Amino acid sequence: MNDVYFACMQCLVYVDAGYRWAAFTLPDAGVQLESQIKADAVDAAHEYWNPPDDSNWLRDGIFPAVRKFLKSHGEHELFFGEHESFANPDSTDWFDWLEVSEDPNPSPRFFAETLGLVTWSSVRDWVKANRFPWWWSLPEYQDSARTRFEAIVRRRSQ
Ligand SMILES: [Zn+2]
């Protein structure tokens, strides 16, 4: 258990909660792994928000995105746990999800909503210049991603 996330089950948005630090400190504050959680309990988790002094990766990388996530989705249905627990990794269902961490895994919604791209060729250019998502080299996955991306762009332009 390393990678744990906060996920909004209504908006299908998730954010990196802070690896082992989150997994070890949050359960003590009543934020249980692999279960639905309340934003208030996360807000009140004193140890979680006060890591050792050398934890800049938490203070500068993880916490700003988590705070923003809790502000936007605090009233929604939230889940805390591993990625596989809220989005099935063996299907393309997770293409419906958007990661809002500091360094998110690219998904169709990331290209359309976060980057504001409107054509698949601009997605291709971005991927070449930045990074290849794990699914990029799998033709059926890329087709599925493209279909979803183009549907989002169409919906957003209406
Ligand atoms: Zn939400």
Side-chain angles (χ1 to χ4, degrees):
M1 163 86 56
N2 291 319
D3 294 348
V4 290
Y5 299 91
F6 297 119
C8 177
M9 305 307 287
Q10 286 164 250
C11 304
L12 307 187
V13 170
Y14 67 102
V15 67
D16 192 332
Y19 309 98
R20 288 182 192 160
W21 178 254
F24 288 150
T25 58
L26 287 172
D28 285 343
V31 181
Q32 300 302 333
L33 276 164
E34 303 304 320
S35 61
Q36 285 194 29
I37 56 147
K38 293 262 178 266
D40 289 352
V42 180
D43 283 337
H46 183 78
E47 191 184 4
Y48 172 68
W49 295 109
N50 291 280
D53 287 343
D54 59 354
S55 309
N56 288 338
W57 65 277
L58 283 165
R59 263 185 281 272
D60 302 338
I62 301 289
F63 290 164
V66 168
R67 281 202 188 87
K68 207 168 151 196
F69 172 87
L70 292 174
K71 209 170 169 197
S72 303
H73 304 280
E75 304 294 314
H76 299 171
E77 189 188 319
L78 301 183
F79 182 88
F80 173 49
E82 291 185 271
H83 195 272
E84 304 81 77
S85 308
F86 57 86
N88 185 353
D90 296 325
S91 76
T92 51
D93 285 354
W94 74 269
F95 278 148
D96 292 329
W97 285 79
L98 173 68
E99 181 174 0
V100 293
S101 309
E102 185 189 32
D103 186 22
N105 284 298
S107 67
R109 289 180 61 192
F110 171 76
F111 294 128
E113 296 174 32
T114 304
L115 299 181
L117 303 178
V118 293
T119 63
W120 194 248
S121 66
S122 59
V123 169
R124 210 175 277 139
D125 290 344
W126 185 92
V127 166
K128 277 184 199 141
N130 293 278
R131 65 177 173 134
F132 287 85
W134 64 266
W135 46 265
W136 192 258
S137 58
L138 304 168
E140 67 275 35
Y141 277 75
Q142 192 181 136
D143 285 350
S144 170
R146 179 178 182 159
T147 302
R148 286 173 197 234
F149 169 81
E150 289 173 345
I152 297 165
V153 170
R154 264 198 309 278
R155 205 163 57 231
R156 283 164 64 88
S157 67
Q158 278 163 5

